[in-house]
Amino acid sequence: MPSPSKRAPTLYAIIALKLLRGVLGIVLAVKAYELVGEDLRPHFDATVRRFKLDPETKFFDRLGDRIDEITPGNVKWAATGALLYGALSLGEGLGLIYRSRWVGRLVLAESAFFVPIETYGLVREPSITIVVILVVNVAIVVYLYRNRERLYRH
């Protein structure tokens, strides 16, 4: 049976979140790379219809117009960013599995980095999604900071 210092269910949840985010980021990047050089509007219209949404609404019409303005270079940059962030998240998840001290600090710094950005977003455009993300990031920061000595090897 593992010693109490080795059991950390909250850490396991953070690991699962990081690994899931990493896999989703890489999948998103691969899909975005497949779209480089293609007209994005037909893909957008097909997705709207697949979810049985009304493509004739003003919202989807304006969103479609903005999608028409996206260049292949922008798609490539977004795909590269998603790939790098996905790889970072996977690396953080794997590092947390091995309880590497430097990865713990990296996760702490990364989560803390987004708190002011999310707070600014919440002040500008309040939404329940931003509140949830902010609460999760603050909880991760507090948990990792308070338990840093217990969770990681010396």
Side-chain angles (χ1 to χ4, degrees), residues 28-78:
L28 176 67
V30 169
K31 292 295 184 184
Y33 278 123
E34 290 174 359
L35 295 175
V36 171
E38 289 191 29
D39 184 15
L40 299 179
R41 186 63 180 252
H43 294 286
F44 170 72
D45 292 339
T47 302
V48 169
R49 283 192 299 278
R50 187 176 316 133
F51 286 105
K52 298 186 184 345
L53 300 170
D54 183 9
E56 301 300 320
T57 63
K58 188 175 182 179
F59 172 78
F60 288 119
D61 190 43
R62 283 191 303 195
L63 186 58
D65 291 343
R66 299 218 35 208
I67 286 173
D68 285 338
E69 296 171 5
I70 298 174
T71 66
N74 290 345
V75 174
K76 210 179 277 188
W77 275 105

Side-chain angles (χ1 to χ4, degrees), residues 1 11 32 34 38-39 63 92 114 123 137 152 154:
M1 178 175 203
L11 181 64
E34 290 174 359
E38 289 191 29
D39 184 15
L63 186 58
E92 288 174 335
F114 287 108
V123 169
N137 266 347
Y152 306 109
H154 300 285

Side-chain angles (χ1 to χ4, degrees), residues 22-148:
V23 168
L24 289 176
I26 290 173
V27 168
L28 176 67
V30 169
K31 292 295 184 184
Y33 278 123
E34 290 174 359
L35 295 175
V36 171
E38 289 191 29
D39 184 15
L40 299 179
R41 186 63 180 252
H43 294 286
F44 170 72
D45 292 339
T47 302
V48 169
R49 283 192 299 278
R50 187 176 316 133
F51 286 105
K52 298 186 184 345
L53 300 170
D54 183 9
E56 301 300 320
T57 63
K58 188 175 182 179
F59 172 78
F60 288 119
D61 190 43
R62 283 191 303 195
L63 186 58
D65 291 343
R66 299 218 35 208
I67 286 173
D68 285 338
E69 296 171 5
I70 298 174
T71 66
N74 290 345
V75 174
K76 210 179 277 188
W77 275 105
T80 301
L83 180 66
L84 292 174
Y85 194 67
L88 173 68
S89 291
L90 277 178
E92 288 174 335
L94 294 172
L96 288 174
I97 287 172
Y98 291 107
R99 300 214 182 174
S100 172
R101 181 178 287 275
W102 71 269
V103 172
R105 290 179 179 157
L106 176 65
V107 173
L108 183 64
E110 183 228 358
S111 296
F113 173 80
F114 287 108
V115 169
I117 296 169
E118 292 155 357
T119 303
Y120 177 75
L122 188 61
V123 169
R124 285 203 52 162
E125 273 186 60
S127 79
I128 192 70
T129 304
I130 295 175
V131 169
V132 169
I133 292 170
L134 180 61
V135 167
V136 167
N137 266 347
V138 169
I140 289 171
V141 169
V142 169
Y143 175 79
L144 291 176
Y145 182 77
R146 284 188 177 165
N147 296 289
R148 65 191 181 279

